[in-house]
Amino acid sequence: MSLQVENLDNNMAKLTIEVAADVVEAAIESAYQKQKRNINIPGFRKGKVTRKVVEKMYGPAVFYDDAINEMIPEAYDKALEEYDGEVVAYPKIDIVQIEAGKPFIFTAEVILKPVATLGTYKGVKVEKMETTVSEEEVDQAIEQERERNARTVAVTERAVKSGDETIIDFEGFVDGVAFEGGKGENYPLTIGSGAFIPGFEDQLIDKNIGEDVEVNVTFPENYQAEDLAGKAAMFKCVVREIKEKQLPELDDEFAAEVSEFDTLAEYKEDVKKNLEEKKADEVAAAKETAVLDAIIADAKMEIPEEMVSFRQRRMLDDFAARFQGQGLSLQQYYQFTGMNEQMMMDQLKPRAEQEIKSELVLEAVVAAENIVPSEAEYTEEIGRLAESYQMEVKDVEERLGEKGKKQVMNDLAVRAAAKLVVDAAVEE
């Protein structure tokens, strides 16, 4: 493969990529092998017709499309490894030459990462944020731990109250007609959770086990089932079970059960310490965001829409991979939430834009301050990565290669730039 680069206006470049003739021949042969079992020509058994006969009958270009689709991704990826510029969007591909016995040539017009022009980036003013932890916050954290360690017990001698865990049967009707998906049996519902339509759970309060209850509600205007949106409905309900939470006593025994400490006083001190560390991290992150927002507001940059779309797509792919790791598909997520791909992309857009702007201004700070990480910092980072992925350092470096090392050094420089601007900020 060979690569020629032509720099264009507006942060664009044209990559002319040439793939050797022998690779073209291999790709055409591969396309033929994949298709031959489906080719039916009179006089030949299905799957036994030769490539030469097919090309004679349908023309030499019959396998070109599939060959092109096989060659472009690999050739384009290799070109990006060789190319120094940072491409930030999907390429516009044009075929220049495809013919058996000759090199395959195509062009890829790419958008390159723009450069931000900085305004003020040192000494920006941000609001001072509180880092102290109150006793009330400590008590709330401990109360949450009590909730997590609560046990549930069956209740038979009283009616439903807020906070109870109930088991109910229900069937919904609109205009006296039962609607699809409106029926459930032995359904678990925590009263006050807001899991059902507004007003539904409140109408079960003070009802007894076995009591028939008519619950009248109105579906929200934006309800996901359009045929029910905005309509009044009546649910026939029966409470089958009532369970209530019983919280553990707040004493030394509880502290010993949920922590490594023997006394409640020691446990409280540890909770406070952890909350202080957590708040310090949150405040540091919030301060960095505020500083970057101020720098971005005073900077100038032109971000191509294609760059934002590319980032949105990458975010969505990352989200899908994480969801798949839990054994679920993105389509299942859409069904659970009433979302779709376009809604997800729209939701991700502000974050994508903010991430891009932050990266651009920090990279501009790196250039302005001539920040270059040391080899010692690089070695430390590689060690951290090796430990994180449970790999040998040499294996991490081998996988990274030169381009990967360059990215690690860039990440370190950007982190240093973020620290520089945050440390230089003025809190008011």
Side-chain angles (χ1 to χ4, degrees), residues 91-136:
K92 178 187 174 187
I93 302 291
D94 284 313
I95 308 303
V96 177
Q97 175 177 287
I98 174 68
E99 187 177 342
K102 294 183 179 180
F104 168 50
I105 303 172
F106 69 99
T107 63
E109 279 196 13
V110 295
I111 297 174
L112 306 178
K113 180 179 277 191
V115 176
T117 302
L118 294 170
T120 300
Y121 65 93
K122 286 181 181 178
V124 298
K125 295 179 181 179
V126 293
E127 183 180 346
K128 187 175 178 61
M129 301 177 199
E130 187 58 60
T131 58
T132 57
V133 172
S134 68
E135 287 302 316
E136 184 181 358

Side-chain angles (χ1 to χ4, degrees), residues 27-228:
I28 294 173
E29 178 63 21
S30 173
Y32 158 68
Q33 292 295 338
K34 288 176 183 175
Q35 292 186 38
K36 71 176 184 179
R37 70 189 67 171
N38 300 318
I39 297 173
N40 194 2
I41 293 179
F44 293 88
R45 281 191 299 156
K46 194 172 183 180
K48 297 298 182 181
V49 62
T50 65
R51 174 179 152 190
K52 188 174 181 180
V53 169
V54 177
E55 289 176 334
K56 185 174 181 180
M57 177 166 284
Y58 294 106
V62 63
F63 299 117
Y64 286 178
D65 283 349
D66 284 350
I68 286 170
N69 290 334
E70 181 176 317
M71 288 186 289
I72 283 179
E74 184 177 354
Y76 178 68
D77 286 346
K78 286 182 178 177
L80 289 188
E81 287 178 12
E82 186 176 323
Y83 179 49
D84 285 336
E86 187 171 352
V87 176
V88 294
Y90 296 107
K92 178 187 174 187
I93 302 291
D94 284 313
I95 308 303
V96 177
Q97 175 177 287
I98 174 68
E99 187 177 342
K102 294 183 179 180
F104 168 50
I105 303 172
F106 69 99
T107 63
E109 279 196 13
V110 295
I111 297 174
L112 306 178
K113 180 179 277 191
V115 176
T117 302
L118 294 170
T120 300
Y121 65 93
K122 286 181 181 178
V124 298
K125 295 179 181 179
V126 293
E127 183 180 346
K128 187 175 178 61
M129 301 177 199
E130 187 58 60
T131 58
T132 57
V133 172
S134 68
E135 287 302 316
E136 184 181 358
E137 289 172 305
V138 174
D139 290 342
Q140 286 175 351
I142 292 175
E143 195 61 25
Q144 288 171 0
E145 190 62 37
R146 288 181 74 203
E147 289 279 349
R148 283 191 287 270
N149 285 271
R151 65 190 184 97
T152 56
V153 294
V155 175
T156 57
E157 297 179 356
R158 67 163 175 80
V160 174
K161 66 180 182 180
S162 183
D164 283 344
E165 296 178 9
T166 64
I167 302 294
I168 66 169
D169 295 344
F170 62 88
E171 185 172 15
F173 301 83
V174 171
D175 296 328
V177 179
F179 58 86
E180 186 178 352
K183 185 174 183 178
E185 293 182 351
N186 296 318
Y187 192 94
L189 176 64
T190 299
I191 306 302
S193 65
F196 271 30
I197 304 163
F200 186 104
E201 294 164 26
D202 291 343
Q203 294 178 56
L204 294 180
I205 292 175
D206 294 331
K207 306 305 177 185
N208 293 296
I209 292 174
E211 182 179 348
D212 292 327
V213 184
E214 287 191 2
V215 172
N216 293 286
V217 294
T218 301
F219 284 97
E221 293 291 342
N222 61 347
Y223 193 67
Q224 59 184 11
E226 293 182 6
D227 57 327
L228 297 175

Side-chain angles (χ1 to χ4, degrees), residues 70 77 170 175 221 229 242 266 304 325 336 344 349 368 374:
E70 181 176 317
D77 286 346
F170 62 88
D175 296 328
E221 293 291 342
I242 303 172
E266 290 174 308
F336 296 155
M344 281 289 289
K349 187 172 183 178
S374 67

Side-chain angles (χ1 to χ4, degrees), residues 239-358:
V239 177
R240 296 299 181 193
E241 294 180 29
I242 303 172
K243 293 180 180 179
E244 68 175 4
K245 284 184 181 179
Q246 286 189 351
L247 301 180
E249 290 294 325
L250 192 57
D251 53 21
D252 291 346
E253 186 179 339
F254 167 72
E257 231 176 77
V258 299
S259 73
E260 60 187 37
F261 302 100
D262 296 325
T263 68
L264 182 61
E266 290 174 308
Y267 172 56
K268 278 189 172 183
E269 278 303 311
D270 187 63
V271 169
K272 185 174 185 179
K273 177 186 172 186
N274 290 333
L275 287 175
E276 286 171 344
E277 290 174 356
K278 182 182 177 184
K279 183 170 279 192
D281 290 341
E282 290 172 348
V283 166
K287 181 180 177 181
E288 181 175 316
T289 298
V291 170
L292 288 176
D293 285 347
I295 295 171
I296 288 167
D298 203 32
K300 293 180 181 177
M301 64 193 96
E302 292 185 11
I303 302 173
E305 190 60 36
E306 295 88 346
M307 183 180 183
V308 178
S309 299
F310 185 74
R311 181 65 63 94
Q312 288 170 266
R313 173 58 57 185
R314 198 169 73 185
M315 286 177 167
L316 186 57
D317 290 345
D318 288 345
F319 178 83
R322 290 196 304 273
F323 212 63
Q324 193 171 14
Q326 300 172 19
L328 298 168
S329 70
L330 199 54
Q331 288 305 316
Q332 286 173 310
Y333 175 79
Y334 292 153
Q335 289 172 2
F336 296 155
T337 61
M339 300 278 282
N340 58 41
E341 183 173 294
Q342 188 55 54
M343 290 167 71
M344 281 289 289
M345 290 286 279
D346 291 344
Q347 194 176 78
L348 291 169
K349 187 172 183 178
R351 198 176 112 212
E353 290 175 331
Q354 189 64 20
E355 278 191 10
I356 291 168
K357 290 175 181 177
S358 296

